Each structure stands twice: as C-alpha cells, then as structure tokens.
Amino acid sequence: MVPWGALNHLYKGLATIVIALIALQYLFGSVLENRRTTDTAESLIAQYNRYRNHNISKPRFYQGAPISIEKTNNNSILISTILNYNKSQATNNNSSNLTQFNENPSAIPNCPIVSPDLEGPIQVNKTISKINELEAQFGSWLQPGGAYAPTNCVSQSVVAVIVPYRDRAENLLLFLAHMHPFLKKQQLDYAIYIIEQDGTGPFNRAMLMNVGFTEALKHRQYQCFIFHDVDLLPEDDRNLYNCPEQPRHMSVAVDIFKYRLPYQTLFGGVCALTRDQFISVNGFSNMFWGWGGEDDDMSNRVIYHNYHISRYPVNIARYTMLTHHKQKANPKRYETLVEGKKRYSQDGLNSLKYTLKQTKFNLLYTWVLVELHAPS
Ligand code: UDP
Ligand code: MN
C-alpha cells in the first residue's frame, strides 16, 4: 500500500526546506549587500594589500574612493585612520601600496587615494576678491578652463565640477576663491565648468547639469562629475570630491539647516556621480523650470536604478551657504515629481535640447553659455 500520509509529509518537508533556502539566500544576500556598502578604510586597505601581495581578486577601489561611509557609526575615526595611514606612508618614504594600485605606465607615481595635504576643517572666507586678483593668486598653477592636475603624482580622480549659473556674480567669486585651493589640496585632476543659462526665462538647474555633463565630455573623458550649486562652500577638506562606488550626496550638513540633513532622500546642493552612473539614470530631468523638485527627481532616479545614496558624516560634509535672492518656486514641481518615474527613460540626457552660444576657457573656469529649449 502506498503510504500517502508519509508522502504528504515528505512533500511538506521538501517545500519547507525550499522556502527556508530561499529565505536564507535572501537574508544572506542582504547581509552581503550591506557589507558591500560599509567597507571600512582598514578592510579596503587589507583587500588592497592582499591584491598586491598575492594577486588575488582585484579590490573594489573606484575612482580613488577610499571608503563608503553610509551606515557606519564612527566614520570620523575611519577617515582619520586613512589620513594617518597615508601620512605615515609618506613620512616613511616607503612607496605605499595604496599609491601604486593603478598600473601607471609613466614614471610619475600615482597620487595616494587621500591626499597628504589635507587639513580637516577649513576657513570659509566671505570677503570678495576681484576676478583679476584671483587670477593673479592662482595663475601660477591653474590651466585655462579652471583646470589643475598635480605635478608630482598622477591623480586617481579625473573630475568635472559642474555649476549651474545665472546672475550670481558675488557667489561665483567666493566659490572660485574657495574651491580652487580646496580641490588642489585633494590632489584631484579637475576642471570647473560654469554653465550659464542665457535669457530671463525660468531657471532650469537640472537641465544645466545635463548640458555641463555633455559639454565637459566633449573636452575630456571625465570619469567623475560633481554637480555643485554655486552658493555652497565646503568647510572640511576631508570631504573628498571624487566618485565612490555609489552616488554620493555631498552637502549633508549645511549651516542654514543647522548642520543637519533635512531629510533622508535629499540629493540637492552638491552630489557626485560617475559618468556611467549619470548615463545609466539618463541624467537629470529636463522638465523642472523654476525652483524645486529636480533634485528629488534625481534622488528618485538614483534609487529607482538600484543605487544607494552614500554620504560622508555630518562632521565632515559641512557647508556654508552664501546668501542670494530667492528664486520663484515652480508651482508644478510636485506634479512633475510624482509623474517622474514614467519619464526616466525618455526625459533626461536623451531628450536634452539646447543651443550652445559660447564656450570660453577662462583661467578660473570653463564658461559655457547656453540657451535651453523645452523638450518637445
Ligand atoms: N542658480 C543661479 N541663478 C539663479 C538660480 C539658481 O545661478 O537665478 C543656481 C546656483 O548655482 C544656485 C543653484 O542654482 O546655487 C540652486 O538655486 P538656489 O540657490 O536658488 O536654490 P536653493 O537651493 O538655495 O533653494
Ligand atoms: Mn541656494
């Protein structure tokens, strides 16, 4: 006689095991995922050393990003650890493993991931200098287009800083005065792009970012893009302007918000994405005219495409916001934002329309003047 009861038990047992295995894989997968975004400086250094010494799997360094900080608690300690690590390597005059991790065919060594020139908290000077004073001050080391690259080592980050701009002349002078020494100290290979919207129509910050991205890539194969409001000045040079594995929201702690992150998904102000990340989310939306919404739409795009927003901790990602007149808010911003998801694949880099009016390689910045066209 067939033992139907036993067979039934067997099936139930098998089903339970299958469900348990799926659950385990799910749990284990999320643990791994979590680990992936919380590598510590030490673990990356260890990974790297293993890679150097034994030629095993390549470490996940990307664009010189030393640590992915979100979700860790004592981040400041991690950062100072890696800073001290580099300093001790520098003083030992021992060619650091970290400085060598990219195969570099030239005689000049690669720069360390974290520059030995960093100071930590820095002053934000709000006295405005004239443009020719700044040119005289930085002229000995800047290249036309507001570009710089370290001379004694090969930078691990080739970065375009994209600034949307119109009619904020005083903010711009303070921005340039602050940012050039800041970026130089980080040993970045960078250029500053000021993308100016022509005309008096509603400002479109997001579209200017798309223009900046597109135009900068005509000049050079930048791998990392920092999208930067002109009125935000970083207060700590450990806030590295490179592109980590995940898109990074940089302006976490702004003085006017009492140095607190206003909400978790915020992606406005300053953010960093690799070229490939920016392309994969189809850039910013072109549909936000006037103030508001475009940064939240970008945040949604980033999350929708399975990225995580990474951030430095609040004691490092500190910014001063400069004063300016207020823009008129876009009354349709919520509507456009809510409908955003339907448009990610058609609204962005692939629907960008503009007329390039002028490109000028000034000493302090590459100036790109554009007339924006509403996408049809
Ligand atoms: N912006 C500009 N001119 C304008 C409006 C905006 O240059 O008339 C640029 C500038 O880079 C500014 C950013 O867009 O920092 C964000 O705009 P705004 O400062 O008005 O927005 P907030 O974030 O301060 O509300
Ligand atoms: Mn502002």
Side-chain angles (χ1 to χ4, degrees):
M1 203 177 87
V2 185
W4 288 113
L7 209 58
N8 203 7
H9 272 304
L10 187 67
Y11 280 138
K12 273 190 189 158
L14 278 174
T16 315
I17 290 169
V18 169
I19 291 167
L21 280 174
I22 292 170
L24 268 176
Q25 196 216 10
Y26 179 79
L27 278 175
F28 193 55
S30 70
V31 168
L32 283 182
E33 177 69 10
N34 212 19
R35 268 232 221 115
R36 208 168 58 72
T37 57
T38 54
D39 274 328
T40 61
E42 291 90 326
S43 87
L44 283 174
I45 291 166
Q47 268 183 63
Y48 181 65
N49 286 341
R50 277 204 304 280
Y51 164 66
R52 293 293 303 177
N53 299 339
H54 307 292
N55 245 350
I56 56 168
S57 68
K58 221 175 163 138
R60 298 194 310 274
F61 284 119
Y62 189 79
Q63 283 280 324
I67 18 185
S68 179
I69 291 210
E70 89 250 65
K71 293 183 194 155
T72 43
N73 299 324
N74 52 351
N75 301 311
S76 51
I77 297 170
L78 292 183
I79 291 192
S80 54
T81 307
I82 199 162
L83 291 182
N84 292 338
Y85 177 86
N86 272 320
K87 279 194 180 134
S88 68
Q89 291 295 319
T91 38
N92 288 346
N93 204 12
N94 168 358
S95 80
S96 150
N97 280 337
L98 275 173
T99 63
Q100 300 293 322
F101 77 90
N102 254 2
E103 296 322 319
N104 173 6
S106 72
I108 323 174
N110 288 334
C111 302
I113 294 167
V114 179
S115 163
D117 304 339
L118 301 188
E119 292 169 50
I122 47 168
Q123 282 296 315
V124 172
N125 186 350
K126 291 195 191 171
T127 40
I128 298 168
S129 309
K130 294 198 182 83
I131 198 112
N132 56 335
E133 289 166 355
L134 294 177
E135 285 176 344
Q137 204 179 328
F138 307 144
S140 64
W141 51 272
L142 271 184
Q143 301 292 320
Y148 169 80
T151 47
N152 57 353
C153 59
V154 178
S155 181
Q156 298 303 286
S157 292
V158 181
V159 184
V161 178
I162 308 292
V163 182
Y165 179 82
R166 186 170 69 187
D167 192 23
R168 298 261 173 107
E170 292 195 346
N171 285 184
L172 179 59
L173 287 170
L174 290 174
F175 178 82
L176 296 166
H178 189 75
M179 292 312 294
H180 279 302
F182 175 92
L183 297 166
K184 178 175 187 267
K185 256 197 287 170
Q186 297 194 352
Q187 295 189 323
L188 300 167
D189 180 343
Y190 74 88
I192 295 182
Y193 284 82
I194 304 299
I195 315 298
E196 179 166 349
Q197 181 174 337
D198 201 15
T200 53
F203 193 71
N204 192 325
R205 174 179 178 270
M207 207 163 168
L208 292 171
M209 302 299 199
N210 287 341
V211 172
F213 178 84
T214 309
E215 289 300 315
L217 283 175
K218 289 183 187 169
H219 307 148
R220 212 175 154 195
Q221 273 303 318
Y222 294 101
Q223 289 302 320
C224 174
F225 289 80
I226 313 279
F227 299 96
H228 209 305
D229 281 2
V230 76
D231 55 17
L232 286 170
L233 306 183
E235 297 179 8
D236 193 306
D237 60 18
R238 291 170 297 175
N239 181 356
L240 301 182
Y241 274 44
N242 57 21
C243 285
E245 207 174 280
Q246 295 291 332
R248 184 189 275 147
H249 177 235
M250 318 271 293
S251 48
V252 179
V254 181
D255 58 352
I256 61 150
F257 301 125
K258 301 200 165 92
Y259 293 106
R260 270 179 254 162
L261 183 67
Y263 54 99
Q264 263 308 314
T265 55
L266 181 66
F267 205 60
V270 186
C271 62
L273 291 100
T274 66
R275 185 186 70 116
D276 295 352
Q277 286 163 357
F278 196 72
I279 290 171
S280 73
V281 304
N282 198 16
F284 280 88
S285 166
N286 298 312
M287 310 281 281
F288 290 86
W289 300 87
W291 182 90
E294 85 296 339
D295 49 349
D296 292 324
D297 182 89
M298 188 50 156
S299 175
N300 291 345
R301 281 175 190 238
V302 162
I303 294 160
Y304 178 82
H305 290 87
N306 289 324
Y307 294 115
H308 308 276
I309 296 177
S310 67
R311 289 194 178 95
Y312 279 121
V314 284
N315 64 322
I316 286 179
R318 286 167 68 91
Y319 283 81
T320 298
M321 191 186 269
L322 302 172
T323 50
H324 54 72
H325 57 261
K326 253 197 146 105
Q327 281 189 79
K328 212 173 137 246
N330 169 9
K332 289 204 197 137
R333 64 189 184 281
Y334 294 116
E335 243 174 86
T336 319
L337 181 64
V338 170
E339 294 165 356
K341 196 179 287 182
K342 289 189 229 150
R343 293 192 319 264
Y344 297 156
S345 60
Q346 309 100 273
D347 166 25
L349 281 176
N350 64 359
S351 65
L352 179 62
K353 280 201 193 137
Y354 62 95
T355 308
L356 179 63
K357 294 245 158 150
Q358 207 171 332
T359 302
K360 211 169 157 198
F361 297 95
N362 293 334
L363 183 62
L364 297 172
Y365 56 91
T366 303
W367 180 56
V368 176
L369 180 67
V370 281
E371 188 185 320
L372 301 179
H373 305 299
S376 42

